[in-house]
Amino acid sequence: MQATADPRETLRAGIDAGAELWLANAAVLRAIVETWASDPQLRELWLGQMATFTDATIARIEADRRADPAVSARLDGVDVHALAATLTWTGERLYYLAACGVPPFDDRAVLVDTLTRLWVSALYDQRVPTTGNPSRPAGDQVV
């Protein structure tokens, strides 16, 4: 029987994968973010994509609530959809800023640490050590 991964490690890995996706597709993703509000089809596409991420975040939060009574108690009375959307859209904005080369988010370790800290504090109310990505030295640029 395999032990369940620490949710903080899973979050960090997912956030780092998001940074990698934005790094690999920065020009396209920047263009989408910069124009989605002005084109009805692109707006529908982007809002749908963001809804997919929000839905996945809701599923993650609900699974954590079922698995951990402390998380369930912490989130009692919280509008989970609003929290999930907030986390999702905050990530979108910070990945975008990183893709534009805006400090401090152009440093991938800072970006990943900051988003991980935000998610963990929102979901688990715990301090997160800033460990960075061991496979990428601090100071590596996202763009």
Side-chain angles (χ1 to χ4, degrees):
M1 182 176 195
Q2 187 177 8
T4 304
D6 182 335
R8 289 163 293 278
E9 291 173 15
T10 304
L11 280 172
R12 178 177 288 284
I15 289 166
D16 189 58
E20 181 63 33
L21 174 76
W22 274 83
L23 172 63
N25 301 284
V28 171
L29 291 169
R30 282 178 57 184
I32 290 170
V33 169
E34 292 166 4
T35 59
W36 70 263
S38 64
D39 179 274
Q41 289 178 316
L42 191 54
R43 176 184 173 87
E44 183 179 338
L45 173 74
W46 194 244
L47 290 178
Q49 185 64 48
M50 293 304 293
T52 299
F53 290 127
T54 297
D55 290 345
T57 301
I58 291 168
R60 167 63 187 253
I61 291 169
E62 293 302 341
D64 285 352
R65 288 175 88 170
R66 287 189 300 276
D68 187 342
V71 172
S72 184
R74 164 131 172 84
L75 297 176
D76 188 40
V78 170
D79 182 334
V80 171
H81 183 267
L83 176 59
T86 298
L87 292 169
T88 299
W89 281 101
T90 300
E92 184 260 12
R93 182 54 26 175
L94 295 186
Y95 288 136
Y96 170 75
L97 292 172
C100 291
V102 176
F105 306 113
D106 59 339
D107 180 318
R108 184 169 173 174
V110 170
L111 173 67
V112 172
D113 284 346
T114 300
L115 281 171
T116 301
R117 182 174 300 278
L118 177 69
W119 278 70
V120 170
S121 66
L123 299 177
Y124 310 112
D125 194 29
Q126 295 177 354
R127 294 184 57 94
V128 182
T130 303
T131 58
N133 182 345
S135 66
R136 183 176 300 273
D140 268 11
Q141 303 298 304
V142 173
V143 292

